[in-house]
Amino acid sequence: MPAPPTVPTVRPKRVSHRGRHVAPLASSNKIDEEVPEFEPFMLLPKGLPPLMEYLDVWDVDMIKQPHEVNKQKHHTNLYSNDYLIVRRAQEFQIKITFNRAYKPVEDKFAVEFVIGASPQYSKGTYIPVFPSKERKSIWRGQVLETSDNVVTIGIITAPDCIVGKYGLYIAVVTPYGIRRTRRDPKLDVYILFNPWSPADAVFLDDEEEREECVLNELGVIYHGAYDDVAERSWNYGQFEFGILDACLFIMDKGDMPLTNRGDPVKVSRKASAMVNSRDDEGVLVGNWSGDYMYGVPPTSWTGSVEILRDYSGSQGMPVGYAQCWVYAAVFNTFLRCLGIPSRVVTNFFSAHDNDGNLKMDIILDDKGRVDRSRTRDSIWNYHCWNECFMARPDLPDGFGGWQVVDATPQETSDGMYRCGPASVAAIKNGQVCYPFDAPFVFAEVNSDVVFYSRSMEGTLQPVKVNTKHVGRMVLTKAVLHDGRRDITDHYKFPEGSAEERLVLEKAEELGCQREKASLRPVDIDVEILAQEVQLGETFDLELQFTNHSAQQHVVDIYISGTVVYYTGVPSAEVVFQTPTVKLDPKQSKKEKLVVRSEAYLKKLLEVQGNLHFIATGKVKKTGQIITAMRLVTVHNPRLTVKVAGSPRVDEEMYVTVEFTNPFMFSLENVYVRVEGPGIMSIQTKQYRIIGPGSSITWTENFSPRRAGSTKMMASLDCAALRQVHAQAQET
């Protein structure tokens, strides 16, 4: 009996998740070079027909110089870019020179815009614009002026059109077919979001806010502690050469469909994933380890320009390294460059809540000491994210406006490391059911710190709830000056108010869990007093005890001082003392604890962190637990930046950076960088060693490229010393 025939193995065809599309969705801004110069209406003999007597295009003037009408009216004159850059839903002009005078009755032509490969009218990637109202198009066109054979056309794009780089053609209709101009990259035009147009989804009806949140290249980012706020200047550089193309490349790299690129909600959500490299080879590699051998330390960056140029220049090789403020700053550059109003926001004491509740748990043993082996929740000393301004047609009325977006990879959202956009108004009102990621952001500013006492049997009993610690203060840069703007009230109602209680009840109804145990008032309060500390100095830590009762009390107190990363993760304990404090009725009393430099300096330098002190204890007579926490920010030595010379465009000036090593040990492999937006590109210098007490002085010359007020920013960085930076104002 013959063997059965061999059945070939058939491998299943790989099916795209976009299953209903015949062809893959266009996800690249690259313009198709195959647009035909002549499209015949009929079958023609070999070669082109005689077209001499018909309208022909001799020249196209895009009116694209910074001083000309288009860039001036569209607020794009600051871009270091030779192409025409305009904004949606606002008229711009082009001038077409024909071979003869234009005759509106006889001559028919169109200005064609194409974006991406295989442009289609139905997808909004091919848009013909006609100079008369008789022929309708999704973009409007009209003849503004004719002079001899020169025609000036006014064009208004749709308020929801794709944001990106378009190719432009002039198409003339002849009896034989359509004749087009040849592909000319010099005619390409960038179309951006338009916060000046009421028709655009990113419209911001405040001129000063627009100037700050769209046009300002200089930023201030806040860090440190809520009662000891530090700040650093940042060059967003959204108008620098190559940055606009880099921002479009980010969307290409993320395979974002062109059809989604007109929606600021989708653009900001995609970018929140693409600015980090956690799962999609995005822009920045995060690093909180302290080892930055294979990249630039996060504390060394002074601006976004170098990062974005490196990423796009390497065709998408992620750049190292970033922490939250770097992610937020680069994201801010992306948003402002494309025309979406945005700002960097810092939340002091930001809860990292990954289990959906509103509790940050601190476990105490039966004697009142912190059980660090069982305390796993972390509260970031500060966390930076972004707000961007846009309408939210996908949400109920009232939830448009400022939206939280966050590129720092903390938790996944729909399978990717991203966050937002989440409506700030929805967060304030406890409406955490609305997209995107509102519960996570709500917890960052509203979580309670709950102290649990763990019995010998392992049961947990809540002994204190601190409702005010998390989300203590939310800051952003003030409008058009370098002061701070406290926007905490944008995120939450005052602590203890009736409005706050209603908001928390609403959030609980929607799934956010809180600790609701009823705790009796304590007789004894303890507070760790604030103070400023310079790196390397010995200091006194003061604790204030207050006895509210009419009885004498004795408290066994445990004081622990730990070096912590700014993410709240402990590194090493440097202080531990167990004093006993005796308090008379109604007495207030201070206790001092000496914290010596040699106890903390080496461990602090290893992680570039801060000192976190926590005091816990038990009142002997009542068994009540008392607690207090204090973050002590240790201040680094200063860097000095001085600018000299005549402050005029194209004239030589000088910048000098000075630093003195105040420590008893040498600083090795020290990198100094300096840059000035609009006046000086990034310069770096390495010093192999700076000995104890030694000073460095570095002077560079530069010639300002444009007029206006700006800053000169510098940073110094080495393995033993981070977060050293300074700036000088220059006009």
Side-chain angles (χ1 to χ4, degrees):
M1 188 172 181
T6 303
V7 179
T9 302
V10 179
R11 295 186 178 182
K13 186 178 180 180
R14 189 173 181 179
V15 179
S16 167
H17 67 281
R18 305 187 183 107
R20 62 193 182 89
H21 296 282
V22 175
L25 289 176
S27 58
S28 172
N29 199 136
K30 187 177 179 181
I31 298 165
D32 195 335
E33 303 286 341
E34 300 303 319
V35 177
E37 289 183 39
F38 186 77
E39 284 187 64
F41 292 152
M42 62 197 81
L43 198 60
L44 297 173
K46 190 174 182 180
L48 291 177
L51 301 173
M52 296 296 294
E53 60 185 282
Y54 302 108
L55 199 64
D56 193 13
V57 178
W58 280 4
D59 184 56
V60 180
D61 180 3
M62 300 300 291
I63 317 178
K64 60 186 178 181
Q65 296 305 313
H67 65 276
E68 293 182 307
V69 62
N70 283 332
K71 287 188 174 180
Q72 287 291 323
K73 286 192 173 181
H74 286 254
H75 307 277
T76 59
N77 55 299
L78 294 176
Y79 285 89
S80 297
N81 190 303
D82 293 333
Y83 295 90
L84 177 60
I85 305 171
V86 296
R87 300 187 187 275
R88 306 192 301 189
Q90 182 177 338
E91 186 176 77
F92 64 94
Q93 303 174 18
I94 64 171
K95 290 184 178 180
I96 307 170
T97 302
F98 293 108
N99 60 330
R100 58 168 172 78
Y102 167 62
K103 303 173 184 177
V105 177
E106 300 176 13
D107 299 325
K108 293 183 176 61
F109 73 91
V111 183
E112 298 180 326
F113 294 85
V114 298
I115 185 170
S118 305
Q120 302 174 56
Y121 182 83
S122 62
K123 303 295 184 185
T125 53
Y126 164 72
I127 304 100
V129 180
F130 306 103
S132 62
K133 296 180 180 179
E134 286 73 26
R135 298 198 63 182
K136 300 295 183 182
S137 178
I138 53 176
W139 297 5
R140 300 200 307 272
Q142 61 176 327
V143 175
L144 299 178
E145 183 183 358
T146 58
S147 176
D148 296 329
N149 57 343
V150 178
V151 178
T152 303
I153 304 294
I155 297 169
I156 302 177
T157 63
D160 58 353
C161 73
I162 295 167
V163 167
K165 186 178 183 181
Y166 290 76
L168 181 144
Y169 300 87
I170 309 298
V172 177
V173 178
T174 74
Y176 303 101
I178 297 173
R179 176 169 59 181
R180 284 189 182 85
T181 52
R182 290 183 177 178
R183 169 82 178 112
D184 185 352
K186 294 194 294 295
L187 303 183
D188 289 351
V189 54
Y190 294 87
I191 298 177
L192 309 180
F193 292 101
N194 191 355
W196 282 266
S197 171
D200 199 302
V202 302
F203 174 60
L204 177 57
D205 192 16
D206 186 315
E207 181 55 37
E208 288 190 346
E209 286 272 20
R210 288 193 294 250
E211 191 172 340
E212 173 65 44
C213 297
V214 181
L215 300 181
N216 194 356
E217 290 183 280
L218 297 171
V220 177
I221 300 175
Y222 299 102
H223 59 102
Y226 84 96
D227 54 358
D228 188 9
V229 176
E231 59 186 51
R232 64 181 301 153
S233 295
W234 192 273
N235 174 23
Y236 296 127
Q238 66 265 34
F239 304 124
E240 293 289 340
F241 178 79
I243 300 305
L244 179 52
D245 286 318
C247 293
L248 298 181
F249 172 76
I250 289 170
M251 292 191 284
D252 285 354
K253 182 69 175 177
D255 285 330
M256 184 177 188
L258 290 176
T259 51
N260 289 348
R261 298 190 192 186
D263 185 343
V265 174
K266 293 177 180 177
V267 168
S268 59
R269 184 155 174 80
K270 169 58 74 172
S272 75
M274 284 301 300
V275 171
N276 72 73
S277 65
R278 189 68 180 267
D279 46 21
D280 48 17
E281 294 187 335
V283 180
L284 282 159
V285 180
N287 188 338
W288 285 264
S289 71
D291 181 3
Y292 309 119
M293 181 181 295
Y294 299 106
V296 176
T299 49
S300 187
W301 300 112
T302 52
S304 308
V305 175
E306 183 180 4
I307 294 168
L308 289 170
R309 283 179 179 166
D310 285 353
Y311 182 70
S312 61
S314 66
Q315 292 300 301
M317 181 70 69
V319 178
Y321 292 106
Q323 291 175 10
C324 71
W325 70 91
V326 184
Y327 285 118
V330 172
F331 198 179
N332 213 52
T333 300
F334 174 92
L335 293 165
R336 289 188 182 183
C337 185
L338 295 183
I340 301 175
S342 63
R343 58 195 186 191
V344 174
V345 167
T346 302
N347 178 37
F348 289 93
F349 294 136
S350 187
H352 184 171
D353 178 53
N354 56 13
D355 55 7
N357 63 32
L358 295 176
K359 300 186 298 179
M360 309 304 293
D361 302 337
I362 296 178
I363 312 301
L364 309 177
D365 65 18
D366 59 336
K367 295 181 180 180
R369 294 175 299 191
V370 175
D371 187 341
R372 297 200 179 277
S373 66
R374 291 184 170 86
T375 300
R376 295 184 173 87
D377 285 348
S378 66
I379 302 171
W380 293 33
N381 301 340
Y382 62 91
H383 178 50
C384 299
W385 60 64
N386 301 82
E387 287 182 1
C388 53
F389 196 91
M390 63 187 68
R392 289 298 300 269
D394 56 322
L395 303 184
D397 290 344
F399 293 137
W402 291 109
Q403 312 287 315
V404 171
V405 284
D406 191 349
T408 301
Q410 297 181 86
E411 300 294 330
T412 58
S413 172
D414 295 333
M416 300 187 74
Y417 282 93
R418 57 185 168 187
C419 180
S423 166
V424 174
I427 292 162
K428 181 174 182 177
N429 288 282
Q431 299 286 355
V432 296
C433 57
Y434 296 125
F436 296 89
D437 310 309
F440 185 83
V441 181
F442 185 86
E444 286 183 298
V445 295
N446 283 294
S447 289
D448 295 337
V449 180
V450 184
F451 292 84
Y452 290 93
S453 179
R454 186 176 186 274
S455 68
M456 296 182 66
E457 293 77 26
T459 58
L460 295 178
Q461 178 68 31
V463 292
K464 184 174 180 180
V465 178
N466 188 335
T467 62
K468 299 180 180 180
H469 186 72
V470 170
R472 186 69 64 91
M473 183 168 62
V474 184
L475 291 181
T476 190
K477 179 184 175 297
V479 175
L480 300 184
H481 65 85
D482 285 350
R484 304 170 192 166
R485 183 179 178 186
D486 189 335
I487 57 171
T488 311
D489 62 343
H490 292 197
Y491 284 83
K492 54 204 297 189
F493 290 99
E495 295 283 351
S497 65
E499 295 92 342
E500 186 212 23
R501 185 175 66 253
L502 291 173
V503 164
L504 294 173
E505 289 174 358
K506 172 62 69 175
E508 285 184 281
E509 290 175 8
L510 297 170
C512 293
Q513 301 300 314
R514 302 180 68 227
E515 178 57 62
K516 293 185 285 187
S518 179
L519 304 176
R520 63 191 177 101
V522 295
D523 296 328
I524 309 296
D525 277 336
V526 60
E527 180 185 4
I528 303 174
L529 303 181
Q531 58 187 304
E532 288 193 7
V533 178
Q534 297 298 319
L535 182 62
E537 72 177 12
T538 296
F539 63 96
D540 291 334
L541 186 73
E542 287 190 321
L543 287 81
Q544 175 84 46
F545 292 87
T546 303
N547 182 0
H548 299 289
S549 74
Q551 298 181 354
Q552 186 183 72
H553 283 292
V554 177
V555 182
D556 289 328
I557 197 82
Y558 300 90
I559 305 169
S560 172
T562 308
V563 172
V564 294
Y565 296 90
Y566 87 93
T567 56
V569 176
S571 171
E573 190 172 65
V574 295
V575 173
F576 182 73
Q577 293 195 19
T578 58
T580 297
V581 180
K582 182 179 178 181
L583 294 167
D584 291 329
K586 303 295 183 179
Q587 182 188 14
S588 289
K589 184 177 183 180
K590 286 184 179 179
E591 291 284 327
K592 288 187 178 181
L593 169 69
V594 178
V595 182
R596 301 195 177 278
S597 169
E598 56 268 24
Y600 74 83
L601 182 59
K602 185 175 184 297
K603 295 175 181 176
L604 191 68
L605 291 173
E606 287 174 356
V607 303
Q608 300 302 318
N610 292 307
L611 296 173
H612 185 259
F613 293 92
I614 183 166
T616 61
K618 181 181 287 188
V619 182
K620 282 188 174 181
K621 187 177 295 185
T622 64
Q624 291 179 331
I625 299 294
I626 63 172
T627 65
M629 296 185 294
R630 171 70 64 182
L631 179 73
V632 175
T633 302
V634 181
H635 294 265
N636 286 330
R638 300 293 298 174
L639 192 66
T640 303
V641 181
K642 299 177 181 177
V643 178
S646 178
R648 292 185 176 88
V649 174
D650 294 331
E651 292 201 11
E652 191 171 55
M653 298 183 68
Y654 301 90
V655 58
T656 300
V657 181
E658 298 174 344
F659 175 77
T660 299
N661 178 7
F663 304 116
M664 301 300 294
F665 54 86
S666 295
L667 301 175
E668 299 179 355
N669 295 319
V670 180
Y671 286 87
V672 182
R673 65 175 58 213
V674 62
E675 68 173 304
I679 57 174
M680 180 181 176
S681 57
I682 300 166
Q683 302 292 324
T684 60
K685 189 175 180 68
Q686 181 185 12
Y687 292 88
R688 191 178 63 83
I689 191 167
I690 304 176
S694 297
S695 298
I696 61 166
T697 301
W698 172 34
T699 300
E700 282 283 339
N701 66 316
F702 64 95
S703 297
R705 303 190 301 272
R706 65 173 186 242
S709 179
T710 185
K711 287 180 182 178
M712 192 66 74
M713 295 172 284
S715 71
L716 179 145
D717 205 278
C718 66
L721 188 62
R722 312 281 188 200
Q723 287 282 23
V724 179
H725 41 79
Q727 62 276 330
Q729 190 75 29
E730 179 60 34
T731 302

